[in-house]
Amino acid sequence: LWNEGYYAKRRDELLALMLQFELCYRVQDTEIYVAPQLLPGDVPKYDLGADIPLQLKYEYGFMPKGLLYRLIVRLHRHIAQGQSAVWNTGVVLERTGAQADIIESLDRRQISVRATGKRAKELVTIINEEFEKLHATYGERLKVEAKIPCNCQMCKPSQIPHFYDKRD
């Protein structure tokens, strides 16, 4: 569409709008732009390691379409595997000795975060701060609960622990 008549002359303007509205990002050190909503659903191979991950979960009363895409755009500089560990329902991020996957489940209206590594807590904090900023753009109408896993003796070693509201 952008190559046709009217739009061909406005390509830079359209791209600037897409960047401004967090619809795409520029891959570092290239002239390649990625629109996360247009990515295929193929999950790349990745390994968070054998450690029990730090976890965080966001559950929505109504989940706005595009929330994960905007998060990917905001955090694209941390995408793992040379910025290729991203697909249309998730992303793997890495930063200073930590890795995290963020996976959206529209049918369950939730986004889950799992992080491992020496500085996993720092990476989860960065991710959580960006989610809070995104949630704030929707105002009071967005109903979201951030949940953290139980750390009792039974849940702590479990891959599927019980989750509690983060505010408690």
Side-chain angles (χ1 to χ4, degrees):
L1 179 67
W2 286 16
N3 292 328
E4 295 176 8
Y6 176 78
Y7 298 105
K9 296 174 185 167
R10 296 182 161 259
R11 187 171 195 273
D12 292 339
E13 185 178 341
L14 291 170
L15 190 54
L17 282 170
M18 289 183 71
L19 289 166
Q20 179 182 344
F21 288 105
E22 300 175 330
L23 297 173
C24 73
Y25 63 89
R26 182 177 168 199
V27 176
Q28 291 174 320
D29 303 323
T30 71
E31 287 300 319
I32 297 171
Y33 292 85
V34 176
Q37 64 273 18
L38 300 177
L39 290 169
D42 304 332
V43 180
K45 290 188 190 289
Y46 67 93
D47 183 12
L48 291 181
D51 296 340
I52 295 171
L54 283 177
Q55 297 182 62
L56 182 60
K57 191 187 317 185
Y58 300 93
E59 294 181 350
Y60 299 86
F62 169 77
M63 190 166 172
K65 187 100 168 112
L67 191 64
L68 178 67
Y69 305 144
R70 291 180 63 199
L71 182 80
I72 290 170
V73 169
R74 288 178 176 208
L75 296 175
H76 74 273
R77 67 189 172 281
H78 300 298
I79 296 175
Q81 300 175 10
Q83 294 197 335
S84 67
V86 59
W87 61 102
N88 68 0
T89 58
V91 63
V92 179
L93 304 176
E94 60 186 3
R95 181 179 183 275
T96 59
Q99 274 196 320
D101 64 2
I102 305 169
I103 300 173
E104 176 183 68
S105 178
L106 285 173
D107 58 332
R108 294 192 326 231
R109 296 187 314 269
Q110 74 177 27
I111 295 176
S112 62
V113 177
R114 299 180 311 155
T116 59
K118 291 180 181 175
R119 294 187 163 177
K121 192 178 257 187
E122 291 174 24
L123 184 54
V124 169
T125 299
I126 290 167
I127 293 166
N128 184 56
E129 285 174 353
E130 284 303 325
F131 266 120
E132 287 178 357
K133 290 176 193 173
L134 277 171
H135 294 152
T137 66
Y138 291 92
E140 294 294 318
R141 62 184 181 213
L142 182 66
K143 305 297 181 215
V144 60
E145 292 181 5
K147 300 200 173 226
I148 56 174
C150 173
N151 65 356
C152 74
Q153 288 181 341
M154 225 167 65
C155 288
K156 194 170 187 173
S158 173
Q159 291 290 338
I160 309 169
H162 179 76
F163 280 82
Y164 290 100
D165 193 334
K166 188 177 160 205
R167 290 177 284 158
D168 291 347

